[in-house]
């Protein structure tokens, strides 16, 4: 197997680069991004490259995990990224600012481990929130309940997690003792890319260290590399596990904000969306509408009230994000604000409101 295959190169990307219709560009995977410079892995090894100005202007910036078409400079370093090949999956967040803009934090992930722990971090609501985002990315979510050593019965927590993680595998693990990591092997096959997300302190780094083996932090993980790239795994954002899978670990993923859309929400709350088909009104908000099948399910104890509440909360957040992303809705909102401000000013003049 050659180097780029071990980095996950597949038929999808081969077709994407062939469609560019040029033989001058070579495929490479982005393994690190630093202040506008990219470290990439190509068939001949690592390089540092920049991106062509046209890409910078288009706003389609490469992210760690992206497959790109590169024009290598002569010699064994340098060059420029010319195209970002169509992503199979991507995990994004909204960028704070006047409007919502999507920022891709990681591309082409196969599996995302949502890590929580068996102590205070454990919360079905938090699991729902992360799963919504992972579903949205296109990657397969898996829930890891770490620190199983801290509770007598991690089984009951697994059951609780499973109740909100529809169609998602839940594994109780103990990174400290490496207990329960065996069942993760099927996700860690050669050329597969995984990432871990979850609150700080739940044990993501410890799990990665366990999967890497004891002493790997000090050794170069690149078997095909020569003496040049002397980078320990710690400084890496995308690195190879002994099983042949790749782990993507960027600072951005660690401090993830929420970027949700309809489809992610629909998959996380498939039970509610299915119940909703029985509501009298198609646009039922499952509040106080008559003949609401969702509300009846809560009354009958077939749906947990706090799960419905969580759904409403995420939906409100989604609407907020969509409003920010929509220039027309935004203009409306500005107009509304101006009106309110004017009313307040008028009200003050007339002495209705305090100044
Ligand atoms: P991260 O912020 O998610 O990367 O979390 P870390 O990997 O840095 O772990 C945070 C703390 O949890 C460290 O003190 C770890 O030693 C501890 N920890 C990690 N896994 C386990 C576990 O399975 N059991 C226990 N008891 N502690 C753990
Ligand atoms: Zn309803």
């Amino acid at each position: 197997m050659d180097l780029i295959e071990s980095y996950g190169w597949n038929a999808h990307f081969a077709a994407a680069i062939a469609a560019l219709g040029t033989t001058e560009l070579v495929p490479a995977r982005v393994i690190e991004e630093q202040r506008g410079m990219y470290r990439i892995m190509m068939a001949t090894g690592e390089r540092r490259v920049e991106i062509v100005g046209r890409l910078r202007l288009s706003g389609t910036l490469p992210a760690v995990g992206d497959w790109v078409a590169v024009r290598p400079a002569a010699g064994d370093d340098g060059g420029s990224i010319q195209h970002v090949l169509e992503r199979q999956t991507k995990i994004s967040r909204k960028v704070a600012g006047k409007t919502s803009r999507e920022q891709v934090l990681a591309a082409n992930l196969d599996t995302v481990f949502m890590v929580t722990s068996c102590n205070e971090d454990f919360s079905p609501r938090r699991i729902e929130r992360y799963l919504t985002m992972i579903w949205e990315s296109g990657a397969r979510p898996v829930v890891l309940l770490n620190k199983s050593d801290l509770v007598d019965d991690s089984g009951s927590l697994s059951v609780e997690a499973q109740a909100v993680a529809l169609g998602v595998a839940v594994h109780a693990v103990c990174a400290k003792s490496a207990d329960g990591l065996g069942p993760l092997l099927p996700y860690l096959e050669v050329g597969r890319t995984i990432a871990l997300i979850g609150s700080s302190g739940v044990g993501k780094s410890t799990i990665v260290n366990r999967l890497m083996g004891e002493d790997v932090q000090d050794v170069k993980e690149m078997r095909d590399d020569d003496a040049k790239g002397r980078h320990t795994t710690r400084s890496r954002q995308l690195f190879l596990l002994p099983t042949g899978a790749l782990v993507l670990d960027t600072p951005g993923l660690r401090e993830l904000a929420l970027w949700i859309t309809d489809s992610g929400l629909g998959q996380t709350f498939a039970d509610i969306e299915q119940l909703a088909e029985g509501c009298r009104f198609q646009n039922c908000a499952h509040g106080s509408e008559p003949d609401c099948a969702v509300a009846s399910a809560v009354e009958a104890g077939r749906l947990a009230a706090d799960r419905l509440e969580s759904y409403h909360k995420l939906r409100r957040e989604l609407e907020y994000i969509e409003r920010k992303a929509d220039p027309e809705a935004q203009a409306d909102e500005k107009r509304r604000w101006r009106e309110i401000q004017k009313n307040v000013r008028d009200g003050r003049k007339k002495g209705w409101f305090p100044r």
Side-chain angles (χ1 to χ4, degrees):
M1 187 163 64
D2 67 24
L3 194 49
I4 63 167
E5 274 169 13
S6 67
Y7 270 81
W9 183 247
N10 64 29
H12 167 88
F13 300 112
I17 201 165
L20 295 175
T22 162
T23 51
E24 281 165 45
L25 304 181
V26 301
R29 193 159 195 197
V30 175
I31 56 179
E32 195 167 336
E33 192 262 313
Q34 238 167 21
R35 284 177 244 105
M37 287 296 286
Y38 295 83
R39 188 174 290 282
I40 57 162
M41 181 62 69
M42 25 184 253
T44 50
E46 278 186 46
R47 277 186 185 235
R48 262 165 66 84
V49 295
E50 36 184 46
I51 63 171
V52 67
R54 166 175 50 76
L55 269 187
R56 217 177 276 284
L57 291 176
S58 75
T60 314
L61 295 178
V64 176
D66 259 324
W67 282 100
V68 292
V70 171
R71 189 185 303 285
D76 54 12
D77 204 10
S80 61
I81 295 174
Q82 301 285 323
H83 298 275
V84 176
L85 302 183
E86 192 198 350
R87 294 164 173 140
Q88 287 193 301
T89 71
K90 61 178 176 180
I91 199 153
S92 323
R93 74 167 165 196
K94 72 181 162 83
V95 179
K98 281 213 184 85
T99 57
S100 297
R101 194 165 54 80
E102 181 185 25
Q103 182 193 11
V104 177
L105 298 172
N108 301 316
L109 298 171
D110 294 294
T111 300
V112 178
F113 292 128
M114 189 265 141
V115 186
T116 179
S117 60
C118 293
N119 53 11
E120 313 84 58
D121 189 69
F122 182 86
S123 143
R125 305 288 83 88
R126 190 182 341 270
I127 295 173
E128 281 164 348
R129 163 177 279 266
Y130 275 106
L131 287 183
T132 299
M133 202 170 46
I134 300 169
W135 280 124
E136 184 46 39
S137 77
R140 163 167 57 175
V142 172
V143 174
L144 301 188
L145 295 180
N146 189 35
K147 310 195 186 184
S148 60
D149 56 312
L150 296 183
V151 289
D152 292 333
D153 179 18
S154 62
S156 66
L157 286 181
S158 294
V159 170
E160 223 181 300
Q162 194 65 74
V164 296
L166 306 172
V168 175
V170 177
H171 300 280
V173 299
C174 173
K176 204 172 172 183
S177 66
D179 267 357
L181 295 181
L184 307 188
L185 283 174
Y187 310 112
L188 306 176
E189 283 168 3
V190 176
R192 296 279 164 189
T193 306
I194 64 151
L196 294 84
I197 64 174
S199 315
S200 171
V202 293
K204 296 182 296 296
S205 310
T206 313
I207 293 170
V208 168
N209 285 340
R210 278 281 171 251
L211 297 176
M212 283 298 280
E214 283 306 327
D215 304 311
V216 281
Q217 294 292 22
D218 299 319
V219 303
K220 287 192 304 165
E221 75 287 7
M222 274 309 311
R223 278 155 289 177
D224 297 45
D225 205 351
D226 58 18
K228 260 188 312 174
R230 238 181 279 279
H231 295 276
T232 60
T233 51
R234 252 185 211 300
S235 68
R236 293 267 170 168
Q237 297 181 354
L238 182 67
F239 50 89
L240 270 172
L241 291 180
T243 61
L246 295 123
V247 178
L248 198 152
D249 185 10
T250 69
L253 265 189
R254 291 192 156 233
E255 51 217 46
L256 199 56
L258 191 67
W259 176 270
I260 50 175
T261 71
D262 255 334
S263 69
L265 204 64
Q267 265 167 300
T268 304
F269 295 97
D271 50 348
I272 294 180
E273 305 253 309
Q274 204 186 337
L275 283 168
E277 283 170 19
C279 295
R280 190 207 295 185
F281 300 111
Q282 220 194 339
N283 61 352
C284 183
H286 322 311
S288 49
E289 288 84 354
D291 295 330
C292 170
V294 176
S296 329
V298 172
E299 252 164 58
R302 282 180 287 121
L303 176 69
D306 48 2
R307 180 161 170 82
L308 178 58
E309 215 166 280
S310 173
Y311 174 81
H312 280 314
K313 186 160 169 285
L314 286 168
R315 180 152 287 291
R316 278 196 295 276
E317 230 167 290
L318 170 65
E319 279 159 11
Y320 173 76
I321 291 168
E322 281 178 346
R323 214 164 42 239
K324 284 202 125 188
D326 175 3
E328 227 168 84
Q330 233 187 310
D332 274 354
E333 200 160 324
K334 259 195 203 139
R335 256 196 307 278
R336 255 203 317 277
W337 260 111
R338 271 201 299 272
E339 228 159 81
I340 291 169
Q341 282 168 335
K342 185 173 171 299
N343 288 343
V344 170
R345 267 197 314 273
D346 290 351
R348 279 188 184 138
K349 271 187 212 145
K350 292 177 183 153
W352 296 344
F353 307 126
R355 273 169 203 266

